[in-house]
Amino acid sequence: MVLGLAPRVRVYRNLAAATASLARHIAQTARSSVRARGSFSLVLSGGKTPEGVYRRLAQRYRENLPWKATEIFFGDERCVPPRDSRSNYRMAREALLSHVPIPRAQIHRMPGETRPLSAAAGRYARLLGPIRSSNNANAARFDLVLLGIGPDGHTASLFPGSPALKERRRAVVGVTQAGQPPYVPRLTLTLRALNSSREVCFLVSGREKAAAVATILRDPGRADPRLPASLVRAAGTTTWFLDRGAARNLSAERSLA
Ligand code: 6PG
C-alpha cells in the first residue's frame, strides 16, 4: 500500500484544453514557488505529448513566469546526441528553452551521449545532489515533476519489470532495454528522485492509454510494478491532466474540467 494524498484528476475535452490548463498551472506554481522559496525547480518529461505545453509556456508565459529563478531538469533521456531527433532535450530546447530568458546554467540536460551509462547516470546524480527519501514536501528536491505514461503504464524510462523500479538508493540510472520505441538505451530518474517532489503532474492523451490510466486511478493506493506510473507518489500532490480519450475508461462521474 503506497500512502500519500489521493491523486487529483482533471478531464478535458481534448489535448489542447489539457495543455492550456497545465501550462497555466505550471506558471502559477512557478510564481508561488519563487514567492515562497526564491526558486522553482521543474522536471520536464519527454515524448510527444508535452511538446504543446512547452510551446504554450514559451508563447503565453515568456513574460509572466519567473524564468530567471527557474531551474530545468529532465525526467529521462534517450541516449542519443542532443541534436538527434529522438532527444528529449532537443524537443524541449526547440519548443521552449531557446525561447525564454532562462539562464543557460540553469538548464540541466541529461548527458545522453556519455558512455558508459553508469558514468552518465552518476554525473547527473552528482549534479542533482543529495535526495532525501522522505514524504515531507518541504524536503522535496523538485517543486514540480511533469510526466507522461505509455500504453504499458511506463513513465519516464521506468518500464514494467525493469530492475530500475527496485532502485532505492540512486537518483539516476541507465536503462539498457527500452520497453517502448525508440529502442535505444535511456537515462532515467528513479522513483526515489521522482517522488522527491512537491508535486507531480501527469499529462496523458489518447485512447491507447485509457486502460493503464483506469487501472491506476481505479485503485490509486495500489503500487503495481507492472504499471510503473502507479509507483509515482509526490511528497505533495499528484495531478492527472487527461483528455477524454485517455479518460474514457474512468467511471462516468469524472466530469469535464
Ligand atoms: C520518453 C518519455 C516517456 C513518455 C511516454 C509517453 O522519453 O519517451 O519520457 O516516458 O512520457 O512514453 O510518450 P508520448 O507522449 O510520446 O506518448
Side-chain angles (χ1 to χ4, degrees):
M1 181 72 177
V2 178
L3 300 179
L5 296 171
R8 295 183 303 199
V9 179
R10 297 181 182 177
V11 181
Y12 298 85
R13 66 185 69 257
N14 52 40
L15 177 56
T19 291
S21 178
L22 178 53
R24 183 168 51 248
H25 180 74
I26 293 166
Q28 289 165 344
T29 305
R31 289 191 290 266
S32 60
S33 297
V34 172
R35 272 196 306 273
R37 293 176 297 280
S39 64
F40 174 54
S41 55
L42 174 63
V43 177
L44 298 183
S45 65
K48 300 180 188 64
T49 306
E51 184 170 350
V53 175
Y54 303 160
R55 292 194 183 284
R56 192 163 179 97
L57 286 172
Q59 290 154 10
R60 294 289 189 95
Y61 299 95
R62 188 184 189 292
E63 308 305 333
N64 55 358
L65 193 153
W67 296 107
K68 301 283 189 212
T70 295
E71 278 208 279
I72 297 288
F73 300 90
F74 288 80
D76 73 326
E77 185 54 278
R78 290 81 177 273
C79 291
V80 295
R83 293 180 187 279
D84 188 294
S85 61
R86 297 165 294 182
S87 163
N88 288 334
Y89 167 76
R90 172 176 161 174
M91 183 273 278
R93 179 171 51 78
E94 291 179 350
L96 172 61
L97 301 176
S98 58
H99 305 286
V100 293
I102 182 168
R104 286 187 61 78
Q106 291 168 211
I107 299 173
H108 305 297
R109 179 178 72 84
M110 279 189 167
E113 70 283 11
T114 299
R115 293 294 184 279
L117 287 186
S118 56
R123 211 169 107 195
Y124 205 70
R126 283 190 297 279
L127 178 144
L128 292 178
I131 293 202
R132 281 167 284 174
S133 65
S134 146
N135 58 8
N136 172 358
N138 291 322
R141 178 65 185 79
F142 306 112
D143 292 305
L144 179 53
V145 172
L146 301 181
L147 289 171
I149 72 166
D152 62 352
H154 84 263
T155 193
S157 284
L158 298 171
F159 296 98
S162 166
L165 295 173
K166 297 191 176 78
E167 178 58 49
R168 293 282 176 270
R169 187 176 50 80
R170 290 176 292 171
V172 189
V173 293
V175 175
T176 51
Q177 299 288 333
Q180 294 249 300
Y183 293 107
V184 295
R186 311 287 191 91
L187 291 173
T188 188
L189 295 189
T190 60
L191 289 163
R192 178 186 179 98
L194 292 175
N195 291 345
S196 182
S197 53
R198 287 177 183 276
E199 181 175 5
V200 167
C201 288
F202 285 96
L203 176 65
V204 188
S205 168
R207 300 169 63 138
E208 72 280 7
K209 302 176 182 181
V213 166
T215 305
I216 293 167
L217 292 179
R218 190 174 300 128
D219 182 2
R222 184 160 173 267
D224 182 349
R226 292 166 299 179
L227 290 166
S230 72
L231 304 175
V232 173
R233 274 289 177 284
T237 55
T238 300
T239 308
W240 291 73
F241 290 74
L242 307 173
D243 70 1
R244 266 199 295 212
R248 67 193 304 271
N249 294 7
L250 294 182
S251 45
E253 76 264 11
R254 299 274 188 194
S255 57
L256 287 180

